[in-house]
Amino acid sequence: MMTDSDVAISMFERIGGSATIDRLVERFYERMDTLPEAKVIRAMHADDLGLIRDVLKRYLTEWTGGPRLYSVEKGHPRLRQRHIGFAIGDGERDAWLTCMRGAPEETVADAAARQDLDKALSGLADWMRNR
């Protein structure tokens, strides 16, 4: 017989679900738009961030263990392949992480979940380097 402690709680649930993902992505792109150290990655994006905001929300929802909102529409993420046209080195990774690290600090209340999310995002960002 399974007990509640046998069921793993997804990162999606730990950080607060869809509402938190929405706020996190909004803060991420606000930081990208305003932080001087984010200029290098902001320049890689379209002027209008509306579409990419929605894509990132769907991706992060699924990536953190929430509903499958990304792959049903876009297929396998293939993140490196989708980003191959962009030169992503240490500077770009660090700029992205600066924006992404600040967002959970402002949106995820659970410190342990925030730390685990940061570790996972750091690994993802490091893996995306192609230069």
Side-chain angles (χ1 to χ4, degrees):
M1 183 166 135
M2 285 181 60
T3 65
D4 287 343
S5 62
D6 294 331
V7 179
I9 298 173
S10 70
M11 178 60 67
F12 179 77
E13 294 171 286
R14 290 179 63 205
I15 64 172
S18 295
T20 299
I21 293 281
D22 288 351
R23 288 192 311 271
L24 189 150
V25 170
E26 292 303 319
R27 288 303 299 137
F28 169 76
Y29 283 113
E30 285 171 22
R31 293 171 65 81
M32 187 188 292
D33 259 345
T34 58
L35 294 176
E37 56 267 52
K39 281 183 171 35
V40 66
I41 57 168
R42 181 58 180 97
M44 296 176 175
H45 291 76
D47 289 343
D48 181 356
L49 294 170
L51 288 175
I52 198 67
R53 266 190 178 100
D54 189 48
V55 170
L56 184 59
K57 286 177 183 178
R58 291 193 314 261
Y59 174 77
L60 287 177
T61 295
E62 189 167 327
W63 185 74
T64 58
R68 293 187 65 216
L69 303 177
Y70 180 91
S71 61
V72 292
E73 179 183 328
K74 300 237 179 230
H76 188 281
R78 302 187 323 267
L79 290 183
R80 285 183 61 117
Q81 183 179 340
R82 292 181 195 271
H83 290 80
I84 200 69
F86 301 99
I88 303 172
D90 291 351
E92 292 77 15
R93 174 205 56 201
D94 294 349
W96 188 86
L97 278 171
T98 295
C99 297
M100 189 51 85
R101 282 192 169 133
E105 288 171 12
E106 299 175 27
T107 58
V108 178
D110 182 318
R114 195 169 53 242
Q115 185 174 16
D116 291 345
L117 179 63
D118 180 74
K119 184 176 179 183
L121 288 166
S122 295
L124 180 65
D126 206 41
W127 180 75
M128 290 299 294
R129 288 178 305 154
N130 57 28
R131 299 286 187 277

